[in-house]
Amino acid sequence: MKRVMQDERGIALAVAIFALVIVGALVAGAFFAGTQEQRVADNTRRLGQSFGVAEVGIGRQVARWDPARNNAVAKYPAATLVVPDSSTATGVFGGQVLKLNGNLYLIDIIARDSASRSGRLNSRGGARQRIGLLVRIQPLQMDIRASLTTQGGANLTGNASVDGRDHVPVGWTDCEGGLDTSRAGIRNDAGTVSTSGNATVAGTPPVMNDTSVSDKTFTQYGDVTYDQLATRANVVLPGGTYRTEPTLRADGSCDKGNLTNWGDGINRTAPCGNYFPVIHVTGSVTLNGVQGQGILLVDGDLEVQGDYQFYGVTIVRGRLKTAGGGSTDAHFWGAVMAENVDIEFQNLSGSATLNYSKCAITQALQMTGTVAPMVSRGWAQLF
């Protein structure tokens, strides 16, 4: 008979080695899968942090919007506003602000989380998020229906003129939308309007007696009050007598730090031509030359002498008095709202002219307005 070998010594070692290989492969696979899951989780966390930092950057640009700087910038691609790198607790952001048209902007923010920014990751690693947000200028909602709005009466003498027909200021070439329909010359709460000499009141109608004129007409602008608007002021001055005119820095740029520089409405192409400040005078003021533009808030009385020119919206809590200088005009282009809290006459004498101007009003409100995100799909991730 054929003899069969029964000696199987060594098979256990082979089985053990095979088992170790299988177990090792399973363990290695588990470690690999775990490492990959950890990396995916880290990347997701860094992306989330970067997205949060980008949102913080967007929010800061909206909350800290500077109308004097941002609203006056030229349209893209002529100019961009750089957002310098800024740190948060979890990362850093930077970017740019682009002006798309007269009141629409794109805020473009790029952010990285702390680990990605610090360089602890290799050159191909790290997380980055880029967000774009469309925002629109929110101009004040002012109830302007006339060249001059007042609660009291008005007394016009000499060559004084109040005109509710729309006027484009001399030298302003960037007005959009054509002329507005004629507004009232004077709108008041049933006060007396008297004229003498060559004084005139024009508009549709020349005088509007409107019993809806109240304190709120002068102190409430949509959801913004007079006091809230005063907190936005670029220029705050006590009562007194001032001569305001544009001034330049040594490098030729507009000196916005000078409190008697209220912009340059006479020369719109000059360095201060797009500077429209919010000016708050905390008492009564006399203006004796030369010009200004923007929104003028006067807590007391306003007296204008000589050939002073102001472009935009003027709100006076007290009385308004103008006195032109002979053959020269004391001009207001835009709208004047004089509350006349003492219920006295507004005195317009000499050669004084108040012209309604939609262009001056619109630009003053746009240049001084803050921004708000677009209601529908205002933001998007950019790549």
Side-chain angles (χ1 to χ4, degrees):
M1 293 179 62
K2 188 175 180 180
R3 187 175 180 177
V4 178
M5 296 293 295
Q6 298 295 326
D7 188 0
E8 295 181 349
R9 290 179 298 176
I11 190 66
L13 179 60
V15 172
I17 293 174
F18 180 75
L20 288 174
V21 170
I22 296 299
V23 172
L26 292 175
V27 171
F31 272 109
F32 177 78
T35 302
Q36 291 300 99
E37 288 290 337
Q38 182 182 17
R39 289 175 178 174
V40 170
D42 285 343
N43 289 339
T44 301
R45 175 176 54 81
R46 285 195 294 270
L47 282 172
Q49 285 184 345
S50 299
F51 191 88
V53 173
E55 286 191 313
V56 169
I58 289 281
R60 285 188 183 178
Q61 303 315 304
V62 174
R64 302 177 184 179
W65 189 263
D66 182 5
R69 172 178 178 264
N70 297 357
N71 296 15
V73 71
K75 297 177 184 177
Y76 178 80
T80 59
L81 293 170
V82 176
V83 178
D85 288 348
S86 301
S87 298
T88 69
T90 56
V92 64
F93 67 86
Q96 58 185 347
V97 178
L98 312 177
K99 186 174 184 178
L100 305 181
N101 59 33
N103 62 352
L104 187 65
Y105 292 77
L106 172 64
I107 302 176
D108 179 1
I109 295 295
I110 300 174
R112 288 182 176 273
D113 66 292
S114 299
S116 303
R117 178 65 178 176
S118 66
R120 296 197 301 266
L121 306 175
N122 62 47
S123 59
R124 295 185 179 180
R128 164 188 172 276
Q129 289 281 14
R130 184 181 181 189
I131 299 179
L133 178 70
L134 287 173
V135 296
R136 184 182 294 276
I137 296 292
Q138 278 191 313
L140 297 172
Q141 303 301 310
M142 291 189 169
D143 185 19
I144 297 175
R145 308 184 200 175
S147 178
L148 171 64
T149 302
T150 178
Q151 281 187 289
N155 180 30
L156 283 69
T157 63
N159 293 316
S161 170
V162 178
D163 196 341
R165 294 169 295 188
D166 193 9
H167 294 73
V168 175
V170 177
W172 289 41
T173 59
D174 54 350
C175 300
E176 300 177 353
L179 294 177
D180 198 1
T181 55
S182 179
R183 302 299 177 95
I186 298 175
R187 175 188 174 211
N188 64 2
D189 185 11
T192 301
V193 176
S194 62
T195 60
S196 61
N198 296 319
T200 60
V201 180
T204 307
V207 178
M208 175 192 294
N209 294 132
D210 185 356
T211 56
S212 69
V213 175
S214 65
D215 291 344
K216 285 189 175 181
T217 305
F218 307 89
T219 59
Q220 191 74 39
Y221 325 113
D223 57 353
V224 179
T225 66
Y226 180 93
D227 292 336
Q228 290 172 334
L229 179 58
T231 63
R232 300 185 191 175
N234 312 87
V235 175
V236 179
L237 290 169
T241 300
Y242 298 100
R243 178 182 176 87
T244 66
E245 56 186 329
T247 57
L248 306 179
R249 296 191 180 97
D251 61 0
S253 60
C254 184
D255 184 7
K256 298 178 182 179
N258 184 349
L259 295 182
T260 57
N261 175 12
W262 295 1
D264 194 345
I266 296 176
N267 304 292
R268 289 298 307 281
T269 58
C272 293
N274 280 331
Y275 177 43
F276 285 76
V278 177
I279 307 132
H280 181 207
V281 181
T282 58
S284 296
V285 61
T286 299
L287 300 177
N288 191 4
V290 173
Q291 64 160 314
Q293 62 182 6
I295 298 178
L296 174 59
L297 308 175
V298 180
D299 289 352
D301 299 336
L302 171 62
E303 181 174 353
V304 179
Q305 298 177 348
D307 58 348
Y308 194 85
Q309 308 277 315
F310 191 85
Y311 305 83
V313 179
T314 303
I315 303 174
V316 184
R317 300 298 303 274
R319 295 186 300 116
L320 168 68
K321 180 179 180 181
T322 69
S327 61
T328 59
D329 294 341
H331 264 126
F332 285 88
W333 302 86
V336 177
M337 303 174 70
E339 186 173 3
N340 208 357
V341 292
D342 295 328
I343 313 301
E344 297 178 6
F345 276 8
Q346 312 295 338
N347 296 306
L348 306 176
S349 61
S351 184
T353 305
L354 278 65
N355 288 329
Y356 171 76
S357 174
K358 181 187 73 172
C359 181
I361 295 170
T362 300
Q363 295 208 22
L365 295 180
Q366 285 184 343
M367 289 295 187
T368 56
T370 56
V371 295
M374 299 288 287
V375 176
S376 177
R377 191 56 177 170
W379 70 274
Q381 285 184 279
L382 305 177
F383 301 95

